[in-house]
Amino acid sequence: MINHQDSFRLMKRGIIIIILLFIAQSHFGQARKLKQANRLFENKAYVEAASLYQELEPNQEVLTNLGDSYYYNSQIQEAKNTYDQLFSKFKDSVDKEVYFRYSHVLKGLNDYKKADKILEEYLSTEVNTQNFIDKLTRTVPYNYTVKAVNTGSSAGDFGVSYLGNEVVFASLRNFESPSYKWNEKPYLDLYKASVSNDISFDNVIPFSEEINTDTHESNATFTTDGKTMYFSRTHNKQVKIGESKYAVVKIYRAELVDDIWTNIEVLPFTDDSYSTQHPFLDEKNSRLYFASDMPSSFGSFDIFYVDVNGDSYGEPVNLGETINTKHREQFPFVSKDNVLYFASNGHQGLGGLDIYMTHLNEEGHSTPMNLGSTINSGIDDFGFVLKGSFEKGYFSSNRDGIDKIYAFQRQENKRTYLVEGEVRDKNTKAILPGTKITLLNEDGSIAGETYVGEDGKYVFETEPNKKYKIEGYRDFYIPTTEAFDTSDEGKIELNIELEIESYDDAEEIVVTKVDGYIYIELENIYFDLDKWDIKPQAAKTLDVLVDLLKKYPRMEIQLGAHTDSRSTEAYNLKLSNNRARATLEYLVSNGIDSKRLLSKGFGESQPLVNCGDNCTEDEHAINRRCEFIILK
């Protein structure tokens, strides 16, 4: 018979078993849900993945993937909140590429101070975004007035191109299209429209049923006659690349025959293992620019081009590391004056994709220049195109939470460039306070002067598109000059480190002695008894000094003559002055400006050998001498 105590024990055991079963079931459910969320994440279904990650225990894996899911869909505030948790708990073990994404999220929320700190840890170099923006304000060629374009839809639009008097762009407005798992929005189609007042797209209609399919189409570009087009289309099947599956994007070509787009074919340099996208055909119809992550890329996406000759295409050419980085370079556009505009998040910027410009040159492309804060924001800005006038155009941005098309009008910026740097000793690398820095115009006239302080730093304001020289000079040092120009070649700041070398380091015959003076050590000059004429042997020695003074036009010296102690002090003083003066006159007769020379007789007052009245002939000879001390 079971008593009450046994009954209680059995009931308690049953409750424990139920709790353990619940915990096990809960743990199994969590593991299954994590596996499902990870599978969605790997397949780029970020919206569904995020909803599942939100229900899971916030460990490092969950927080990383959840933050990335928000990041890839430009949900900036949600990404920031998640990355905040991730870094507060697991910072020391977070993958470095998450640092990069976190910093861009923070920039998107204008938290430059924290963004810079995170980015500094990623780059291992100092970052100051606000200072960068301020410099851009002074140096960008143009300022932009920006207005959102009314396209007749709030679904999301981007990527304008010109087709005669009409525009063609990509849009998410086709709600009959299947849902795209990445963002659970319709697939992109191409649309065309007429334009009124540059800020309104009218008569918007689907571009062509032959072009638009049940997958993504975007970024059309056309030959000048409007009879051939290139565009991006997403492959309708995902392929496995590495550990993940991707739906690659390919560039297609189509021809207009009897008002119907036909002969649609994929370009031969595309492949199932990488994407090619964002085509742009130059004005001569001879070169097609595009973005790709093909194997020869430096990073996520690079800018390439192929030469076009009728129906044949050259090999893809990467535009190189001056333009392309380890991150994303996309949406190329080349203006009539051969300037490439593109979007990048790999160069220093305001956050997300920014728009940059670079001059395309056969001998090498210029350093890309960020177009500045009047057009770029902390979120993605891309798809820059100009109309023929160079003053107006369009770009795309998700600064308001969705992709929108913006019209711009640009005006020339009244620019100022700063040249700055510091001055150091060439050999010791020591800072040299008090050094005079002179800014010289191309004609040699002085544009500015300053003396550096204890930090050795200088700064000058200069004008754009001018040639300058900058010179560092101080006493006992050789002046150093560096030439530079303020051009539109992408440099928003000029940092010139000046290294100047002392006479002592540059010349073996120049020696700093224990008395603190800097001497020019030459063979002794001998004079006949009671004479001061320059003898031929003395002239050879002084010719070495002439050459040195001509080599360094700013060097100034003291010519000091000394006698032995024989004869009276007054006589010796007069004799030494005459000898010093004769030495000076010899130098002047050989082209040295007398203003650079100081002659002084010391008589017997400074003997090298203090032997009094008991000197040997050798000691007298040592005391009879000429010394050359550098004054500056």
Side-chain angles (χ1 to χ4, degrees), residues 422-427 429 432 435-440 450 458 460 468-484 496-503 505-506 551-554:
E422 61 185 11
V423 60
R424 294 178 179 270
D425 184 287
K426 181 178 180 179
N427 294 286
K429 308 303 179 185
L432 296 176
T435 301
K436 182 181 180 181
I437 307 295
T438 305
L439 180 68
L440 301 166
T450 188
Y458 68 88
F460 289 106
Y468 293 94
K469 290 182 179 178
I470 194 159
E471 179 191 76
Y473 173 70
R474 64 185 283 119
D475 290 349
F476 312 116
Y477 277 77
I478 304 165
T480 296
T481 303
E482 296 282 350
F484 67 95
I496 300 177
E497 306 298 326
L498 288 172
E499 292 188 334
I500 60 177
E501 188 171 29
S502 68
Y503 295 132
D505 288 326
K551 184 177 181 180
Y552 302 118
R554 295 191 188 179

Side-chain angles (χ1 to χ4, degrees), residues 358-601:
T358 180
H359 296 264
L360 297 176
N361 302 309
E362 291 298 328
E363 62 274 12
H365 313 312
S366 66
T367 303
M369 171 179 272
N370 189 299
L371 296 195
S373 59
T374 59
I375 189 169
N376 286 318
S377 68
I379 320 294
D380 289 335
D381 306 286
F382 55 97
F384 180 99
V385 295
L386 279 168
K387 295 185 77 171
S389 66
F390 292 134
E391 295 177 357
K392 296 180 180 180
Y394 299 101
F395 73 101
S396 307
S397 177
N398 64 359
R399 62 188 63 187
D400 290 335
I402 61 169
D403 290 336
K404 288 184 181 180
I405 295 169
Y406 293 81
F408 66 78
Q409 185 158 356
R410 66 184 190 182
Q411 309 83 30
E412 286 194 14
N413 182 29
K414 187 176 181 181
R415 290 171 290 164
T416 57
Y417 285 76
L418 291 186
V419 56
E420 54 191 354
E422 61 185 11
V423 60
R424 294 178 179 270
D425 184 287
K426 181 178 180 179
N427 294 286
T428 68
K429 308 303 179 185
I431 293 290
L432 296 176
T435 301
K436 182 181 180 181
I437 307 295
T438 305
L439 180 68
L440 301 166
N441 293 310
E442 187 175 8
D443 62 4
S445 60
I446 295 175
E449 287 183 335
T450 188
Y451 288 87
V452 302
E454 292 299 318
D455 60 359
K457 295 185 182 297
Y458 68 88
V459 61
F460 289 106
E461 187 174 288
T462 61
E463 298 177 14
N465 297 315
K466 289 188 67 175
K467 293 182 178 180
Y468 293 94
K469 290 182 179 178
I470 194 159
E471 179 191 76
Y473 173 70
R474 64 185 283 119
D475 290 349
F476 312 116
Y477 277 77
I478 304 165
T480 296
T481 303
E482 296 282 350
F484 67 95
D485 62 87
T486 54
S487 67
D488 283 336
E489 296 299 290
K491 297 177 182 177
I492 69 163
E493 60 180 346
L494 294 158
N495 194 297
I496 300 177
E497 306 298 326
L498 288 172
E499 292 188 334
I500 60 177
E501 188 171 29
S502 68
Y503 295 132
D504 190 349
D505 288 326
E507 300 290 341
E508 289 186 9
I509 61 174
V510 177
V511 178
T512 302
K513 295 190 176 180
V514 292
D515 60 6
Y517 290 106
I518 302 173
Y519 291 81
I520 302 170
E521 288 199 326
L522 301 173
E523 291 182 19
N524 206 351
I525 297 176
Y526 293 99
F527 297 89
D528 289 337
L529 184 65
D530 294 334
K531 302 290 186 180
W532 50 87
D533 303 280
I534 302 298
K535 299 175 69 175
Q537 186 60 39
K540 288 184 179 180
T541 300
L542 290 178
D543 287 342
V544 175
L545 182 58
V546 168
D547 290 341
L548 188 71
L549 290 168
K550 287 182 176 179
K551 184 177 181 180
Y552 302 118
R554 295 191 188 179
M555 182 184 284
E556 297 181 13
I557 64 172
Q558 174 183 281
L559 312 169
H562 302 262
T563 68
D564 57 33
S565 59
R566 291 179 289 199
S567 197
T568 66
E569 287 186 17
Y571 177 84
N572 285 335
L573 183 60
K574 181 179 179 181
L575 179 63
S576 64
N577 274 316
N578 287 336
R579 287 176 174 175
R581 184 67 188 175
T583 303
L584 182 148
E585 289 172 354
Y586 180 86
L587 298 177
V588 171
S589 69
N590 281 275
I592 306 302
D593 190 337
S594 62
K595 293 178 182 178
R596 300 170 58 195
L597 308 172
L598 174 65
S599 66
K600 189 171 182 179

Side-chain angles (χ1 to χ4, degrees), residues 32 62 75 104 167 267 273 285 287 305 388 407 424 433 487 501:
R32 184 173 58 185
V62 168
Q75 294 175 269
H104 277 263
V167 293
L267 295 190
S273 63
N285 304 324
R287 184 163 286 183
Y305 73 82
R424 294 178 179 270
S487 67
E501 188 171 29

Side-chain angles (χ1 to χ4, degrees), residues 267-287:
L267 295 190
F269 52 85
T270 64
D271 193 89
D272 287 344
S273 63
Y274 56 81
S275 286
T276 53
Q277 58 186 16
H278 309 155
F280 174 78
L281 187 65
D282 71 358
E283 188 182 25
K284 296 179 181 178
N285 304 324
S286 62
R287 184 163 286 183

Side-chain angles (χ1 to χ4, degrees), residues 213-233:
T213 65
D214 58 359
T215 185
H216 292 298
E217 284 81 28
S218 65
N219 296 99
T221 184
F222 301 88
T223 53
T224 50
D225 63 6
K227 297 295 181 65
T228 302
M229 70 178 290
Y230 299 89
F231 64 97
S232 299
R233 176 182 283 171

Side-chain angles (χ1 to χ4, degrees), residues 159-179:
V160 175
S161 59
Y162 297 102
L163 179 59
N165 294 323
E166 295 181 310
V167 293
V168 177
F169 62 98
S171 178
L172 296 168
R173 67 186 65 204
N174 182 11
F175 289 99
E176 295 179 2
S177 174
S179 176

